[in-house]
């Protein structure tokens, strides 16, 4: 069974009490018992302390080593005393050879205790620690003076002689340092060190107990002193027997509860000693009286130093709070105001304008500045260059702001400029264009010059509604996103029309979130036909929203909102499930029928597309070759590498991939080379220009020839007239879709069209393949 630290301490108290009781009941056994028990206890303490010195590191290891060496020297001295007692039948005289290890152990113990008491860094703190040590030493010397008086309690002085006074003085020194450590140990340097120090204190106090019970007699060993020494040795050994030693020591602190009581204990102690000496001897002891006066003076000096120290701590705390308050309201990188401080000053500016205490005819305005392409700077040049750029931008914004304005960094690459008072949109636009002009100058960093572009959104407080400071920030944010939508690198000021359209868009966003659950979203289908036979070989699934108030809405009216809200992947999954389930039914009428489903950029570069396709095909029973995923160049340009990896997995399932709006993007040819594309859909803008000139015909012919060379299927979009269909047939285009054949229709109507379409005999040379 393992015994914990508390168990060893309890055992130490029991052993000490048993030893004292035995020596009191059988006085003749006092010397033999102490001669055998004390060396064993001291040796056990030495072994435990030296083991702890090997386990620990740093200053605690040194403390353990010095304490273990001291305990070993005490063991040598105690063994010598016990041997002399056994050989000669009487205690050893003093001085003796055993005094050498005894006094050397005192030196090592004091050194260990001084290492425990780590002095403060300040001069005042060191002065306080020195005064506390002097207070304790003076009080303990007074106690030693009292018990050492031959008249009190009138015990004889024999062979010890004058040398015997060395041991009480050594005990006073060790006990003072031990108590100083215990009083100044703030939240503990560790249970092991505290227990070790307590054991040393008890061991030191044993000398006083011995004097009080036996005086300086060499023949009368005090049972109480030996029992106290045994208890101290056992506590010292138990300190490191089980608990692991601490990793480090803490600084001495005079503000602990015991430390605050420390200066007030020695004074009553010394005066009690003086009073006791007066009552027992009939005269005042001048040394004790002088010590009392000295203690009063030291206490007053200590209180003065404490007042000075408290004053310094108060000033330091005030400065620290001021620094914390500054950090809480400022950006650590640029030193600009942060979002918290901007909100406070924005509210103050709006309140000032509302109270009419600001400049007449002026209103506060806000500019939100967002750096364009900042992420590319971090990715290509590193975050250090990005930080340099942000600091430079902050300096330029300060130069554009007025004395009463506030420049803030809201986070990342977004800044704000609060204009305390402007007279109208012209003033705001002037500051915004000045900012754009200043930021256009390249910023010099370690890796070279970095060009800077920014987009700015602005807002002005409404003189008729100054109740909400957040509205100014919200309007500026709306204007910023509108400016980005206009092409970035420009400024836009929020106005009534922009606010109204934004409110309408926000309302549409809220309504869209519940549209699927309410059954308002529908999937329409536009047929894809063979131009030479008129046979319907597939259909493209197109989303519609049957809004309860606004009627049937096309995707362009609500999909941008869904994309901004992050809802497109969920909508894609729903459309994919509905379209595949419907196509499975239609394949019973037309075994070669295929359905095309559009996939958004977020869904393509996410982590669920392959799983979604796999689970949908499994749930609906639709063959993989009956599904075509349509992608736009916008979806591909987001992350081409990720898109290529995902599409490779999709194609491995047997699903086809179509590139929509082919010919309108600058990287379309690159995608044909790097991505697993099976079908290209010629954009309707080229188809509708057929017959208007040789150039349009040449473009369509070139796309068709390219697709045939690469072995790709072709679908012409936006066919609206028979003339366009005839021209495509003459160019050997195989598949087409558009209003000329059918508008997008609900599933029921497409089913009728499919049923009414008879499957003619295959025309030679016409491949009927799914789109």
């Amino acid at each position: 069974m393992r015994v914990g630290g508390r168990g060893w301490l309890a055992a130490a108290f029991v052993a000490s009490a048993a030893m004292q009781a035995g020596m009191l009941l059988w006085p003749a056994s006092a010397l033999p018992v102490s001669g055998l028990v004390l060396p064993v206890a001291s040796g056990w303490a030495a072994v435990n302390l030296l083991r702890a010195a090997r386990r620990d590191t740093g200053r605690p290891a040194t403390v353990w080593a010095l304490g273990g060496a001291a305990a070993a020297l005490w063991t040598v001295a105690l063994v010598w005393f016990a041997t002399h007692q056994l050989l000669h039948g009487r205690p050893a005289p003093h001085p003796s050879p055993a005094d050498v290890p005894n006094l050397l152990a005192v030196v090592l113990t004091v050194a260990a205790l001084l290492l425990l008491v780590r002095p403060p860094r300040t001069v005042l703190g060191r002065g306080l620690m020195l005064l506390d040590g002097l207070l304790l030493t003076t009080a303990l010397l007074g106690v030693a003076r009292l018990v050492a008086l031959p008249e009190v309690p009138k015990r004889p002085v024999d062979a010890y002689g004058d040398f015997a006074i060395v041991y009480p003085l050594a005990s006073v020194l060790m006990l003072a340092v031990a108590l100083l450590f215990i009083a100044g140990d703030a939240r503990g340097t560790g249970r092991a060190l505290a227990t070790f120090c307590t054991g040393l204190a008890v061991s030191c106090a044993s000398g006083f107990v011995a004097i009080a019970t036996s005086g300086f007699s060499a023949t009368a060993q005090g049972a109480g002193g030996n029992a106290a020494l045994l208890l101290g040795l056992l506590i010292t050994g138990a300190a490191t027997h089980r608990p692991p030693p601490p990793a480090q020591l803490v600084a001495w602190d005079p503000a602990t509860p015991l430390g605050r009581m420390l200066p007030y204990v020695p004074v009553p102690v010394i005066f009690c000693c003086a009073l006791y000496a007066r009552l027992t001897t009939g005269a005042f002891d001048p040394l004790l009286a002088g010590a009392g006066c000295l203690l009063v003076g030291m206490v007053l000096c200590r209180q003065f130093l404490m007042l000075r120290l408290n004053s310094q701590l108060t000033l330091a705390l005030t400065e620290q709070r001021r620094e914390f308050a500054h950090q809480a309201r400022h950006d650590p990188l640029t030193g600009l105001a942060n979002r918290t401080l901007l909100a406070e000053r924005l509210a103050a500016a709006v309140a000032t304008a509302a109270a009419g205490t600001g400049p007449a005819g002026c209103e506060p305005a806000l500019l939100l500045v967002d750096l364009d392409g900042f992420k590319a700077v971090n990715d290509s040049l590193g975050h250090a260059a990005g930080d340099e750029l942000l600091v430079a931008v902050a300096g330029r914004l300060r130069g554009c702001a007025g004395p009463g304005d506030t420049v803030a960094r809201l986070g990342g690459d977004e800044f704000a400029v609060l204009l305390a008072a402007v007279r109208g949109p012209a003033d705001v636009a002037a500051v915004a264009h000045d900012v754009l002009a200043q930021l256009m100058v390249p910023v010099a960093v370690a890796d070279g010059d970095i060009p800077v572009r920014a987009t700015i959104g602005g807002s002005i407080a409404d003189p008729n509604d100054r109740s909400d400071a957040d509205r100014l920030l919200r309007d500026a944010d709306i204007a910023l996103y509108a400016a980005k939508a206009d092409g970035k690198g420009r400024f836009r000021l929020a106005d009534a029309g922009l606010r109204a359209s934004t409110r309408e868009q926000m309302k549409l966003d809220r309504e869209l979130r519940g549209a699927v659950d309410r059954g308002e979203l529908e999937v329409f289908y536009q047929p894809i036909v063979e131009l030479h036979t008129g046979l319907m070989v597939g259909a493209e699934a197109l989303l519609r929203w049957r809004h309860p108030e606004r009627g049937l809405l096309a995707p362009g009216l609500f999909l941008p909102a869904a994309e901004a809200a992050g809802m497109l992947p969920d909508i894609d999954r729903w459309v994919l499930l509905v379209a595949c389930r419907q196509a499975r039914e239609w394949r019973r009428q037309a075994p070669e029928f295929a359905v095309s489903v559009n996939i958004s950029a977020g869904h393509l570069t996410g982590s669920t597309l392959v799983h979604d396709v796999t689970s949908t095909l499994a749930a609906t029973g639709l063959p993989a070759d009956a599904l075509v995923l349509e992608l736009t160049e916008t979806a591909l340009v987001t992350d081409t590498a990720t898109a290529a990896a995902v599409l490779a997995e999709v194609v491995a399932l047997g699903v086809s991939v179509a590139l929509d709006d082919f010919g309108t993007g600058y990287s379309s040819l690159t995608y044909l080379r790097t991505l697993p594309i099976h079908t290209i859909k010629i954009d309707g803008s080229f188809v509708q220009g057929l017959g208007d000139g040789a150039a349009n015909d040449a473009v369509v012919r070139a796309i068709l020839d390219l697709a045939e060379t690469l072995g790709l299927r072709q679908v012409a979009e936006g066919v609206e007239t028979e003339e366009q269909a005839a021209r495509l047939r003459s160019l050997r285009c195989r598949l087409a879709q558009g209003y000329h054949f059918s508008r997008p229709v609900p599933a029921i109507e497409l089913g009728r069209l499919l049923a009414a379409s008879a499957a003619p005999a295959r025309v030679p040379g016409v491949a009927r393949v799914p789109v």
Side-chain angles (χ1 to χ4, degrees):
M1 181 179 67
R2 295 176 63 88
V3 181
R6 293 181 180 178
W8 283 105
L9 293 179
F13 278 100
V14 171
S16 175
M19 178 178 176
Q20 177 155 350
M23 290 188 295
L24 290 175
L25 293 174
W26 298 283
S29 66
L31 289 178
V33 170
S34 62
L36 292 175
V37 174
L38 292 178
V40 173
S42 180
W44 178 71
V47 171
N48 287 340
L49 289 169
L50 292 175
R51 283 179 178 175
R54 295 182 62 184
R55 291 198 307 260
D56 209 350
T57 58
R59 185 179 287 194
T62 306
V63 173
W64 302 136
L66 291 175
L73 290 172
W74 274 326
T75 304
V76 172
L78 289 171
V79 169
W80 193 93
F81 284 134
T83 303
H84 189 280
Q85 173 69 25
L86 291 174
L87 294 177
H88 301 284
R90 65 179 184 278
H94 287 275
S96 70
D99 292 323
V100 176
N102 256 342
L103 295 179
L104 184 57
V106 171
V107 174
L108 296 179
T109 303
V110 172
L113 291 171
L114 289 177
L115 284 177
L116 283 173
V117 185
R118 177 177 294 175
R121 296 180 180 179
T122 63
V123 176
L124 284 178
R126 292 174 182 267
L128 283 171
M129 192 183 74
L130 179 61
L131 274 177
D132 285 351
L134 291 176
L135 283 168
L136 286 171
T137 303
T138 304
L140 292 174
L141 286 174
V143 175
R145 167 73 175 174
L146 177 64
V147 300
L149 288 173
E151 299 83 7
V152 183
K154 296 182 178 180
R155 295 189 177 93
V157 178
D158 50 18
Y160 279 79
D162 295 335
F163 184 80
I165 198 65
V166 173
Y167 285 97
L169 292 178
S171 296
V172 165
L173 180 60
M174 290 189 294
L175 186 58
V177 180
L179 292 177
L180 184 65
F181 165 75
I182 295 173
D185 182 18
R187 274 163 290 280
T189 58
R191 184 173 56 187
L193 283 174
T195 305
F196 166 71
C197 197
T198 303
L200 289 180
V202 174
S203 299
C204 296
S206 67
F208 293 97
V209 177
I211 294 173
T213 56
S214 65
F216 291 115
S217 174
T219 58
Q221 295 297 320
N226 287 333
L229 178 59
L230 174 63
L231 178 62
L233 290 172
L234 292 176
I235 292 175
T236 302
T240 59
H241 185 75
R242 287 296 184 194
Q248 61 182 0
L249 302 173
V250 298
W252 177 83
D253 183 6
T256 61
L258 188 57
R260 289 193 294 267
M261 294 173 55
L262 182 66
Y264 307 105
V265 174
V267 174
V269 168
I270 203 70
F271 277 105
C272 286
C273 291
L275 181 61
Y276 182 73
R278 175 70 177 82
L279 294 176
T280 54
T281 63
F284 280 108
D285 188 320
L287 292 179
L288 292 176
C293 295
L294 180 62
L295 283 175
V296 172
M298 285 192 290
V299 168
L300 293 176
C301 182
R302 187 185 189 278
Q303 293 301 101
F304 173 75
L305 292 180
M306 280 297 296
L307 290 175
R308 291 291 304 274
L309 182 60
N310 289 338
S311 176
Q312 289 184 358
L313 291 176
T314 302
L315 291 175
L317 183 60
T318 302
E319 182 63 28
Q320 190 178 47
R321 287 177 176 173
R322 186 181 298 111
E323 180 65 23
F324 285 161
H326 182 272
Q327 292 178 0
R329 288 172 168 78
H330 290 80
D331 175 55
L333 176 63
T334 62
L336 298 177
N338 62 9
R339 188 180 294 272
T340 301
L341 183 56
L342 177 68
E344 293 176 0
R345 293 188 177 176
L346 184 60
V350 172
T352 299
T357 56
C362 293
E363 299 291 339
L366 183 67
L367 297 177
L368 291 184
V369 183
D370 188 80
L371 303 184
D372 300 331
F374 178 74
K375 183 178 182 300
V377 175
N378 272 343
D379 293 342
S380 59
L381 300 180
H383 289 279
D387 289 346
E388 288 186 55
L389 176 63
L390 292 175
V391 172
V393 169
R396 295 184 184 183
L397 290 177
R398 284 194 189 99
C400 297
D405 300 337
T406 299
V407 181
R409 182 186 176 207
L410 304 183
D413 59 347
E414 188 174 4
F415 296 84
V417 181
L418 172 61
L419 306 176
V422 297
R423 296 191 177 277
D427 289 353
V428 181
V431 176
H433 287 105
D434 185 26
V435 169
L436 290 176
Q438 292 294 328
L439 294 182
M440 286 180 63
V441 180
V443 175
V445 298
D447 295 325
D449 293 342
I450 301 177
V452 183
R453 293 185 68 225
T455 303
I456 303 177
S459 61
I460 305 176
D462 187 353
N464 301 318
D465 181 15
R466 302 190 185 100
S467 59
D468 187 6
D470 291 338
R471 186 189 63 79
L472 205 61
L473 181 60
R474 187 169 58 250
D475 287 351
D477 200 41
I478 292 171
L480 175 63
Y481 279 100
K484 285 179 173 292
D486 291 342
K488 300 184 179 181
R490 62 191 66 207
F491 163 69
R492 182 161 181 180
L493 184 65
D495 53 25
L498 183 59
R499 296 189 192 100
S501 64
T502 303
R503 285 193 297 269
E504 186 67 23
Q505 188 64 45
M506 292 175 63
K507 178 183 177 183
L508 195 66
D509 293 349
R510 291 192 299 270
E511 294 172 342
L512 181 60
R513 292 186 181 276
V516 174
D517 296 335
R518 294 191 300 267
E520 295 174 0
L521 294 184
E522 298 181 17
V523 179
F524 279 39
Y525 302 88
Q526 187 172 38
I528 300 174
V529 301
E530 284 185 339
L531 284 170
H532 289 77
T533 65
L535 178 66
M536 186 190 306
V537 297
E540 180 181 357
L542 299 170
L543 186 63
R544 296 292 185 269
W545 181 10
R546 197 170 295 280
H547 194 277
E549 297 177 0
R550 302 173 60 179
L552 193 64
L553 300 181
L557 297 177
F558 61 88
L559 284 187
E563 183 177 12
M567 293 187 290
L568 273 188
D570 292 334
I571 293 177
D572 283 353
R573 279 187 282 271
W574 180 81
V575 173
L576 183 65
L577 180 63
V578 172
C580 288
R581 184 183 295 126
Q582 188 63 61
R584 180 73 181 109
E585 298 298 323
W586 287 332
R587 282 179 68 87
R588 296 174 182 174
Q589 304 176 46
E592 295 183 357
F593 188 90
V595 64
S596 298
V597 179
N598 292 279
I599 298 298
S600 63
H603 199 183
L604 174 63
T605 57
S607 59
T608 65
L609 179 60
V610 177
H611 174 268
D612 294 340
V613 172
T614 304
S615 59
T616 300
L617 294 176
T620 59
L622 183 71
D625 61 359
L627 175 63
V628 180
L629 298 184
E630 290 197 12
L631 308 169
T632 62
E633 185 173 334
T634 304
L636 296 173
V637 77
T638 304
D639 189 345
T640 306
T642 301
V646 172
L647 290 179
E649 294 187 58
V650 170
V651 170
L653 298 175
V655 177
S656 298
V657 177
L659 182 58
D660 200 7
D661 301 331
F662 184 82
T664 58
Y666 65 91
S667 297
S668 299
L669 295 177
T670 302
Y671 296 142
L672 294 182
R673 182 175 55 87
T674 59
L675 299 176
I677 304 295
H678 303 88
T679 302
I680 57 174
K681 303 188 74 173
I682 304 172
D683 187 71
S685 61
F686 299 114
V687 174
Q688 292 167 11
L690 289 174
D692 293 341
N696 287 331
D697 289 10
V699 170
V700 175
R701 182 184 294 107
I703 294 174
L704 293 172
D705 291 342
L706 175 65
E708 188 170 352
T709 301
L710 296 177
L712 303 176
R713 295 185 292 265
Q714 321 102 25
V715 179
E717 297 181 295
V719 180
E720 297 182 351
T721 65
E722 175 56 31
E723 288 77 15
Q724 294 170 357
R727 187 58 182 157
L728 288 169
R729 279 192 290 268
S730 67
L731 294 174
R732 300 191 308 279
C733 180
R734 297 180 179 179
L735 304 172
Q737 69 182 93
Y739 286 2
H740 174 63
F741 306 104
S742 173
R743 290 175 175 272
V745 295
I748 295 177
E749 187 171 343
L750 187 75
R752 295 196 196 101
L753 293 176
L754 188 61
S757 174
R762 186 183 301 273
V763 178
V766 178
R768 285 163 48 187
V769 294
V771 188

